Amino acid sequence: MLRAPTARAKLALFGGTPVRKKPFSGPAVFDASERKNVLEVLQDKALSRFMGSPSADIDKQLAIPSAAAARYNPQHFMFIGGRKVRALEAEFAARFGAKYAVAVNSATSGLMTALGACRLGPGDEVITTCLSFNATAVSILAFNSIPVFADVDPETFCMDPEDVRRKITPHTKAILVVHLLGRAANMDAILGIARERGLMVIEDCSQSPGTLYHGKPVGTLSPIGVFSLQDTKNIVSGEGGVIITSDPDLARRCRLIRNHGESIPGPEAGPEELCNLVGFNFRMTELTAAVALAQVKKLKANNQQRNVNARYLAQRLAKLPYLRVCEGFASDGNVCHVLPMLYDAESAGASRDAVLAALRAEGIPTGTGYPRLMPENPIFTKKIAFGSQGWPWEPFEHGRARVYRREDYPVAASLIYEKFIWFYHVNAPNTPKDMEDAAKAFQKVFSNLEALREYTPSGPKVYKW
């Protein structure tokens, strides 16, 4: 008589048959619209139409709203870019209800541009979350400002407003908010603090295009918002970013910082005009804009599919022991970018790393989110960024020495190092049928946890796309 397979033998990690062998699809959903736009650029041989020097109509170009800029074409080259770049900006501004959109070559450069446009400079402190991709904090360093990190709310995983309040000093000039995984931060509280203290607020919306907060799109809740078009995001063009604002001064400065703005002011320009115009090239190519223009028109449909998939998977996993699926990331105006879950390793008796290894062996891409908290990157713990002598911290920290310590962010540390399990592929063109494979794999692994209790995985702990 054949014996039933043991729990260990059932798992693909130990030689069993995986639930899924086919890779999940990435978020790039292309059709004839991308091809048409790209071919137009190639046929026109118009790979970029930026001009980095002044022209007779430069003041008009710097002031013109994005909708009108898309129709304005007095010459072959323009300081504010080519046809596809300006068409993308007009589409973005219209979609998010802003007067201006400024396309850039990445969301990282978009954040740098936005912070520079807000006239932040050496020694100014900017409070941001401790839980995000490195670019959020590194962008603060671009103009020699100093990042200050706040812990996160245990439900939204976005900045905790009370910790923001605790981190404010006389040197604080701005708050850089991140709407993480498609979930909106508590903007009522954050904007209230900013009004009380006279602080600028910038929104990092890289993972949240289309998310609403009290009916308003994130990115429009503060004076300036930044979106990502990188290959894993909701709008995909490979690389790229877009800044939105309805403030004409911020729009003008973003356009200048993006494109060698130091070439524009005359000899009479004063400090306010010249501030942070230091010769950057953050321009988007026409090819990138051609793809992004087609992609942004699909945003609503693709976001709807993300939420359908996330809700389906959350419902299928709702009764699993030791696991809480954060279903709210696909409801109440949020757009699920990645579906987060919270795992109780102590009660389960199997380590989170073992569970993740088992899920990946079943063909399910999961991870812990980020490999570490942003302030634990050596650039911050060692306080070495520009040169090797501690710039920008050392010149401004006499009497206010800043130490970045894990214990200052207990909620975020617990999430990253103990609880988080992220499922990455809720995106279209994946469907509930694909989510069913994920559900079966989770159920298989969580039904065989005893086989993982003595298992210690080797190799990298974080899933790579």
Side-chain angles (χ1 to χ4, degrees), residues 88-383:
L88 172 64
E89 292 173 343
E91 182 71 25
F92 230 91
R95 293 254 163 180
F96 293 97
K99 191 173 181 180
Y100 305 96
V102 180
V104 286
N105 55 15
S106 72
T108 306
S109 59
L111 289 169
M112 293 166 61
T113 299
L115 290 158
C118 293
R119 293 180 170 83
L120 294 165
D124 291 339
E125 293 181 349
V126 180
I127 301 176
T128 193
T129 175
C130 64
L131 185 59
S132 182
F133 180 60
N134 303 338
T136 301
V138 170
S139 65
I140 296 168
L141 298 175
F143 294 103
N144 292 293
S145 300
I146 296 174
V148 175
F149 297 97
D151 205 357
V152 300
D153 179 272
E155 294 298 317
T156 67
F157 314 144
C158 298
M159 294 170 70
D160 175 5
E162 290 308 308
D163 201 38
V164 170
R165 190 183 294 276
R166 286 190 289 269
K167 299 295 172 62
I168 293 173
T169 76
H171 307 282
T172 305
K173 295 295 189 295
I175 302 171
L176 176 52
V177 180
V178 176
H179 303 293
L180 195 71
L181 304 182
R183 187 75 179 257
N186 184 347
M187 292 299 289
D188 285 345
I190 291 169
L191 291 171
I193 293 169
R195 284 191 295 270
E196 290 173 17
R197 302 300 186 97
L199 306 177
M200 176 62 78
V201 177
I202 301 102
E203 295 174 76
D204 181 344
C205 311
S206 295
Q207 298 180 0
S208 58
T211 290
L212 303 178
Y213 183 80
H214 299 331
K216 291 188 63 177
V218 298
T220 66
L221 305 166
S222 68
I224 194 163
V226 180
F227 296 81
S228 175
L229 311 179
Q230 187 266 345
D231 219 30
T232 64
K233 300 303 192 295
N234 301 41
I235 305 169
V236 172
S237 64
E239 298 291 348
V242 180
I243 306 160
I244 61 173
T245 182
S246 290
D247 184 314
D249 178 63
L250 290 176
R252 173 187 172 88
R253 290 185 56 74
C254 284
R255 287 167 169 170
L256 286 166
I257 291 170
R258 167 179 66 177
N259 185 19
H260 297 285
E262 82 287 350
S263 68
I264 301 304
E268 74 286 352
E272 285 294 300
E273 174 71 5
L274 294 173
C275 174
N276 295 338
L277 304 186
V278 290
F280 288 119
N281 177 351
F282 292 152
R283 304 180 298 205
M284 178 182 284
T285 71
E286 288 289 276
L287 284 171
T288 300
V291 175
L293 179 58
Q295 283 281 297
V296 73
K297 293 178 180 180
K298 302 173 185 175
L299 178 63
K300 183 177 180 180
N302 286 344
N303 279 351
Q304 287 174 341
Q305 189 63 54
R306 284 177 177 273
N307 280 359
V308 166
N309 289 342
R311 286 194 290 264
Y312 181 91
L313 184 56
Q315 184 178 17
R316 293 286 283 112
L317 302 183
K319 295 183 180 179
L320 285 186
Y322 318 120
L323 189 71
R324 180 165 76 87
V325 185
C326 303
E327 190 172 5
F329 280 69
S331 63
D332 299 326
N334 300 306
V335 175
C336 188
H337 177 67
V338 168
L339 182 61
M341 312 171 199
L342 303 178
Y343 174 61
D344 185 351
E346 184 176 356
S347 298
S351 75
R352 183 186 58 170
D353 289 340
V355 169
L356 288 170
L359 287 167
R360 293 170 194 153
E362 300 295 341
I364 309 304
T366 52
T368 62
Y370 303 106
R372 55 192 173 197
L373 299 176
M374 273 198 300
E376 292 191 302
N377 283 292
I379 192 173
F380 300 115
T381 58
K382 298 179 184 295
K383 293 196 281 192

